[in-house]
Amino acid sequence: MTDPVTAVLASPPHWTLLYAGLNGLLSFALAFRVGLQRMRANVIFGAGDDPGLQRAIRAHGNNVEYVPLALVLIGFLEVAGQPGWLVHALGAALFLGRALHAFGLSMTEEGSPGRLYGILLTWIVLAVASTWSVIAAVI
């Protein structure tokens, strides 16, 4: 008989891998943008006095602050055998939310629809995935 850890490692959360990859590509693009902005502004550390560099840094930083926990929760839900539609809804909403937020934050210092809807989608993903995980664990 195979223990649960071996079973999970033998069959990783397939769909979560897709959403991790998409969010990884987004994170790479945001990090690359920070590098380009640094070269343009000739700033090695911090943001200097450059508002475009500051926005690029925060767009990347905000992405890496939210994505890991959300992906862990989605992956655990998938491994726990929760419905596939849930994994896809959460994964797609996470990627869309992060992309909207990054685009909205990168474009303007002011609030923007992309920034607003992006963070709302991200928060919904975290709230639903967290709540569903607690319920799945105790039922």
Side-chain angles (χ1 to χ4, degrees):
M1 178 161 196
T2 305
D3 67 279
V5 173
T6 304
V8 168
L9 293 175
S11 179
H14 177 78
W15 291 113
T16 303
L17 290 173
L18 168 66
Y19 299 112
L22 290 171
N23 281 285
L25 290 171
L26 176 60
S27 188
F28 173 78
L30 293 172
F32 189 77
R33 185 168 182 271
V34 169
L36 292 176
Q37 290 280 15
R38 284 192 184 287
M39 287 189 300
R40 183 192 56 74
N42 198 26
V43 174
I44 295 172
F45 184 79
D49 293 328
D50 189 281
L53 177 55
Q54 179 63 36
R55 286 192 307 274
I57 290 169
R58 283 312 310 144
H60 177 255
N62 193 276
N63 193 60
V64 300
E65 291 164 4
Y66 280 101
V67 169
L69 176 60
L71 286 173
V72 166
L73 289 166
I74 293 167
F76 282 160
L77 288 168
E78 184 176 359
V79 167
Q82 298 305 304
W85 63 263
L86 176 69
V87 171
H88 288 295
L90 293 172
L94 176 65
F95 179 69
L96 179 61
R98 294 290 74 215
L100 284 171
H101 184 271
F103 182 76
L105 181 57
S106 295
M107 294 301 118
T108 180
E109 292 179 35
E110 305 298 321
S112 68
R115 192 172 174 189
L116 172 65
Y117 294 127
I119 196 60
L120 287 176
L121 271 174
T122 302
W123 286 347
I124 290 167
V125 167
L126 283 172
V128 170
S130 297
T131 303
W132 200 295
S133 293
V134 169
I135 291 169
V138 297
I139 292 182

